[in-house]
Amino acid sequence: MPYTMKVEGVTKLEKLLEDLGEKAIDAASEGLYDGAAAMADEIRRNVDSIKTEPFRYIPAGSNEKRLPSPEEKALLMRAGAGIAKFKKDDDGVGTSVGYSRRGYGQMVGRMKPIPQVANAINSGTSFMQKQAFFRRAVSRGSRDAETAIIRTLEERLDAIIKENGGNNT
C-alpha cells in the first residue's frame, strides 16, 4: 500500500523564492552589519582588558619586554574597531572588523599609526609583551556575531514571507 504525498502552493513558493532572491543580499547585509557590530563590541571589551604600565624605554639588545602604556591602550579605546565598507557580489556580502584602516591617532603629542599600535600589543614585539586581545575577541565573539547574523536574517526572512501573504506557523 503506497503512502501518497502532495506538495501544494508551489506557485506561492516560486514567488517567495523569486522575491527572496532579490532581497537576499539586503537581508544578508543587515545580518552581517549586526554581526560585525557584535564583534566590534567584543574587541572593545578586550581592549579594555589590556594590562598596562607607565611608558619606559627598553635598552637596545635587552631581552626585557614592557607592557603597553596607558596612552597606547587609550589610543585603541578612542579609535575603536572599525567595520569596513561591505563588498557585495553575486555570491554574497563580506566585510572586515578591526583596526587595519583606522589611520593615525594623537598619543603623547605625536601622531601614531593605530594599526601598528594594535598589532604591537596583539602580537608583541622585541620590546613589548604579547597580549592577544584581538585573537581573544575573535574567539569569544564569534558565537555572538553568528547569533546576531542569524537572528537578523530570520527576522528579515519572516518579514519577506509575511509580505508575500505566507503563513509563518
Side-chain angles (χ1 to χ4, degrees), residues 39-107:
M39 186 59 73
D41 288 345
E42 186 63 33
I43 292 169
R44 182 195 47 76
R45 281 191 289 277
N46 278 271
V47 167
D48 198 35
S49 73
I50 293 172
K51 294 179 180 94
T52 64
E53 67 181 7
F55 179 82
R56 60 189 171 95
Y57 284 101
I58 303 297
S62 172
N63 288 333
E64 187 180 4
K65 294 189 177 204
R66 70 172 177 86
L67 290 173
S69 69
E71 295 83 10
E72 289 166 321
K73 177 179 175 177
L75 178 65
L76 296 185
M77 289 297 288
R78 280 193 312 271
I83 300 172
K85 185 176 178 181
F86 285 19
K87 294 181 182 177
K88 298 177 182 180
D89 59 29
D90 292 340
D91 198 32
V93 60
T95 191
S96 61
V97 179
Y99 292 95
S100 64
R101 301 237 170 150
R102 298 308 285 167
Y104 288 77
Q106 187 82 10
M107 190 176 84

Side-chain angles (χ1 to χ4, degrees), residues 6-24:
K6 181 179 179 183
V7 176
E8 294 182 358
V10 173
T11 305
K12 278 187 176 180
L13 180 60
E14 285 176 352
K15 171 91 170 90
L16 174 63
L17 291 174
E18 186 177 301
D19 288 346
L20 180 59
E22 296 168 7
K23 297 176 183 178

